[in-house]
Amino acid sequence: MAYQSKAGGTISYHNYEGNVGYSIYVPENVTADTPIFTYTYGGGGKADWYSGYHSNGNYGPFDALLEYGGDSIVVMPSMPWDADWGSNTNDIIEKVREEYGI
C-alpha cells in the first residue's frame, strides 16, 4: 500500500529479506542527485513511525513526510534488535540507489 503526501511524493512499505523491511518516501522528481536520508529508529517497528500510535502524541517522520513532503528519499528500516542493522541498512540503501539511478 502506498500513501500520497500533500507535496506529491509517496510512501510505501517493502519487505527486504525475512523479517527486515523498510518504508520509503520518494519525492515526485527523483534525479541522479537526489539525496537519500535514512531514519533508523532502533529496534522499533512500523508503529514507531506514526504519531497516532504513540500514547504521548509524538509527531513521527511518517506523519511529517505525509504533511510536508521533502526533496530527499527517506528510508525507514525496520528489523529486530538482534539484526545486523548496519549491513541490512547499507544493503537497502544500495538497492534504492540502483532502483532510482542515484
Side-chain angles (χ1 to χ4, degrees):
M1 174 176 227
Y3 299 90
Q4 190 75 29
S5 80
K6 290 180 181 178
T10 59
I11 298 177
S12 57
Y13 182 79
H14 303 268
N15 189 53
Y16 173 65
E17 185 175 278
N19 57 358
V20 176
Y22 62 98
S23 277
I24 182 170
Y25 170 79
V26 180
E28 266 189 310
N29 300 313
V30 174
T31 68
D33 296 326
T34 300
I36 299 174
F37 177 80
T38 306
Y39 177 82
T40 52
Y41 183 77
K46 288 182 279 184
D48 297 311
W49 300 329
Y50 307 91
S51 65
Y53 289 94
H54 290 282
S55 60
N56 61 359
N58 289 344
Y59 195 74
F62 200 97
D63 303 299
L65 290 166
L66 287 175
E67 182 71 24
Y68 303 107
D71 58 0
S72 301
I73 291 176
V74 180
V75 176
M76 296 171 276
S78 175
M79 60 194 89
W81 282 106
D82 60 351
D84 186 342
W85 278 81
S87 179
N88 287 328
T89 301
N90 282 330
D91 290 348
I92 290 167
I93 290 168
E94 285 304 314
K95 179 179 177 179
V96 169
R97 288 179 70 208
E98 287 176 21
E99 182 175 346
Y100 291 98
I102 296 173

